[in-house]
Amino acid sequence: MTDAASPVSRAAEILSRPVALNGLKVPNRIAMAPMTRMFSPNGVPGEDVRSYYSRRAAAGVGLIVTEGTYVGHESAGESDRVPRFHGEEQLAGWAKVAEDVHAAGGTIVPQLWHIGMVRQQGKPPFAEAPAVGPSGLRIDGTEGTGKAMTQGDLDDVIGAFAQAAKDAERIGFDGVEVHGAHGYLLDQFLWAGTNRRTDGYGGDPVARTQFAAEIVAAIRENVSPEFPVIFRYSQWKQEAYDARLAETPDELEAILNPLAAAGVDAFHASTRRYWSPEFDGSDLNLAGWTKKLTGKPTITVGSVGLDGDFIRAFMGEGSAVKGIDDLLDRLERDEFDMVAIGRALLQDPEWAAKVLEGRFDQLKPYDAAAALKTLS
């Protein structure tokens, strides 16, 4: 019999609590983080994609956030194997994914994505499309082969996100997540390092938020009032881990509040290590600060469950990173509302079930080679 105070029973109790994201009731506090896989030829999610997500929903993941899906703008991506969220065949495939996840007892939202200046000219699915961004700058500050966006470009991308969200609701998804993190298009507008515009979309933090806020507002106008809109953002970028949107809570508040006012229902605050304090003088992580500043539900993410020490902490055999008790303490005091699991779920589709059912002896440390063998 497991002692009531043990990490095993405490984890099951805390993580099993349902949570509301606008009109969506998620059955527990475990989310699947979006992870790009490139397993969708011609941008169409097939039977293997259906199985990939439904297996994890059946094993206890409360909320699936899909891998990034390109919105209907020709410059949105650079791979013909990344799924698209536009086109009759693509959306028909996604409808089946949502149906299977629901049948397995889970909830699911697509992550809507535009990569902006990360795109390399000549890449599929639309080889002639230029890379576009706020100022034509790449993350490293150099000029790319693309261009600064005109008002027409901005309007087209806003429309593409709004249409994707409208389609998501129509084909049975439970909400949408807007990808505003990791140095992709929306993040390129949010970050001063890539946004050098002198019009209403550049300048101070509030102005740099304008484009993302208009996307959120357009989505909100095209979906039902109770349909959740999640916004994922980060300080770090793929090519600049030390980059920061905000150096202080006040600067962060200036960025987040326009997004909340535009219609964001929950924020997914992407960090590399969830236990890292975001600002001096407080133990709050980025998700914790986001909830404190906006009052909105938040999802934390960052290296949860990846090493052996973390697993041993579940079993009461020491501490990991700050120990599992630290993660549970933060959830229990509502510093954030959900925990997104990435690589651990990639390797082990049963990860959530093992945690919720106290089968911690069956958990294994993350192994990249093993994960590559279980991409289904």
Side-chain angles (χ1 to χ4, degrees), residues 238-251:
Q238 293 282 16
E239 299 176 15
Y241 287 138
D242 59 349
R244 296 177 68 80
L245 296 180
E247 296 291 346
T248 67
D250 286 345
E251 290 180 3

Side-chain angles (χ1 to χ4, degrees), residues 41 46 55 108 131 146 176 189-190 211 222 227 292 299 341 374:
R55 285 181 67 193
I108 183 167
V176 293
F189 273 84
L190 295 175
F211 180 51
N222 280 272
F227 192 70
K292 179 177 181 178
I299 304 169
I341 312 299
T374 56

Side-chain angles (χ1 to χ4, degrees), residues 9 19 30 44 46 66 81 140 155 225 244-245 248 269 284 353-354:
S9 61
V19 61
I30 299 176
V44 179
T66 75
R81 294 184 59 83
D140 61 6
D155 293 342
R244 296 177 68 80
L245 296 180
T248 67
L284 290 177
K354 290 174 182 178

Side-chain angles (χ1 to χ4, degrees), residues 171-326:
I171 65 176
F173 278 79
D174 299 298
V176 293
E177 176 170 283
V178 177
H179 196 340
H182 306 163
Y184 297 114
L185 180 62
L186 273 65
D187 196 18
Q188 291 161 23
F189 273 84
L190 295 175
W191 189 42
T194 43
N195 187 343
R196 309 289 176 81
R197 296 177 75 98
T198 57
D199 60 5
Y201 295 96
D204 64 26
V206 174
R208 297 197 304 271
T209 306
Q210 182 65 26
F211 180 51
E214 289 184 5
I215 286 174
V216 171
I219 289 173
R220 190 80 273 160
E221 291 173 3
N222 280 272
V223 298
S224 301
E226 68 277 5
F227 192 70
V229 177
I230 303 167
F231 190 90
R232 194 180 209 212
Y233 82 100
S234 66
Q235 298 261 42
W236 64 277
K237 323 300 172 198
Q238 293 282 16
E239 299 176 15
Y241 287 138
D242 59 349
R244 296 177 68 80
L245 296 180
E247 296 291 346
T248 67
D250 286 345
E251 290 180 3
L252 185 61
E253 186 174 25
I255 292 167
L256 297 179
N257 279 351
L259 294 169
V264 170
D265 297 300
F267 287 94
H268 188 172
S270 178
T271 55
R272 299 177 67 210
R273 302 173 182 87
Y274 85 87
W275 58 88
S276 298
E278 193 55 43
F279 300 112
D280 291 340
S282 170
D283 289 335
L284 290 177
N285 71 3
L286 187 61
W289 272 109
T290 300
K291 183 169 184 177
K292 179 177 181 178
L293 294 171
T294 67
K296 299 289 186 179
T298 58
I299 304 169
T300 197
V301 67
S303 301
V304 177
L306 292 189
D307 66 22
D309 285 340
F310 185 94
I311 295 165
R312 287 192 293 274
F314 268 113
M315 305 302 295
E317 298 175 4
S319 63
V321 226
K322 282 182 148 185
I324 183 60
D325 280 338
D326 174 64

Side-chain angles (χ1 to χ4, degrees), residues 3-284:
D3 183 81
S6 74
V8 172
S9 61
R10 186 167 177 246
E13 178 184 353
I14 292 173
L15 291 170
S16 293
R17 296 179 301 163
V19 61
L21 304 178
N22 194 347
L24 175 65
K25 185 175 182 180
V26 181
N28 61 49
R29 302 300 176 111
I30 299 176
M32 181 176 182
M35 291 173 283
T36 298
R37 298 167 68 239
M38 295 191 290
F39 275 32
S40 298
N42 298 315
V44 179
E47 187 71 33
D48 59 329
V49 178
R50 293 168 62 182
S51 174
Y52 170 74
Y53 288 118
S54 62
R55 285 181 67 193
R56 286 154 178 84
V61 174
L63 176 67
I64 302 283
V65 182
T66 75
E67 61 210 282
T69 68
Y70 296 151
V71 296
H73 186 260
E74 290 189 348
S75 297
E78 61 176 2
S79 170
D80 205 29
R81 294 184 59 83
V82 167
R84 303 200 284 274
F85 215 84
H86 60 97
E88 183 176 351
E89 189 177 2
Q90 289 81 3
L91 292 176
W94 278 119
K96 293 175 182 177
V97 173
E99 181 181 359
D100 284 5
V101 167
H102 291 153
T107 62
I108 183 167
V109 301
Q111 187 186 70
L112 307 180
W113 190 23
H114 193 303
I115 70 173
M117 287 299 300
V118 173
R119 172 174 165 75
Q120 298 181 47
Q121 190 101 22
K123 294 280 189 177
F126 304 103
E128 299 305 315
V132 296
S135 305
L137 298 176
R138 301 181 67 84
I139 292 297
D140 61 6
T142 61
E143 292 188 7
T145 56
K147 64 169 188 170
M149 295 173 74
T150 66
Q151 186 63 54
D153 295 326
L154 297 170
D155 293 342
D156 288 345
V157 171
I158 291 169
F161 273 92
Q163 183 63 52
K166 185 176 181 178
D167 287 335
E169 184 171 28
R170 175 178 59 82
I171 65 176
F173 278 79
D174 299 298
V176 293
E177 176 170 283
V178 177
H179 196 340
H182 306 163
Y184 297 114
L185 180 62
L186 273 65
D187 196 18
Q188 291 161 23
F189 273 84
L190 295 175
W191 189 42
T194 43
N195 187 343
R196 309 289 176 81
R197 296 177 75 98
T198 57
D199 60 5
Y201 295 96
D204 64 26
V206 174
R208 297 197 304 271
T209 306
Q210 182 65 26
F211 180 51
E214 289 184 5
I215 286 174
V216 171
I219 289 173
R220 190 80 273 160
E221 291 173 3
N222 280 272
V223 298
S224 301
E226 68 277 5
F227 192 70
V229 177
I230 303 167
F231 190 90
R232 194 180 209 212
Y233 82 100
S234 66
Q235 298 261 42
W236 64 277
K237 323 300 172 198
Q238 293 282 16
E239 299 176 15
Y241 287 138
D242 59 349
R244 296 177 68 80
L245 296 180
E247 296 291 346
T248 67
D250 286 345
E251 290 180 3
L252 185 61
E253 186 174 25
I255 292 167
L256 297 179
N257 279 351
L259 294 169
V264 170
D265 297 300
F267 287 94
H268 188 172
S270 178
T271 55
R272 299 177 67 210
R273 302 173 182 87
Y274 85 87
W275 58 88
S276 298
E278 193 55 43
F279 300 112
D280 291 340
S282 170
D283 289 335
L284 290 177

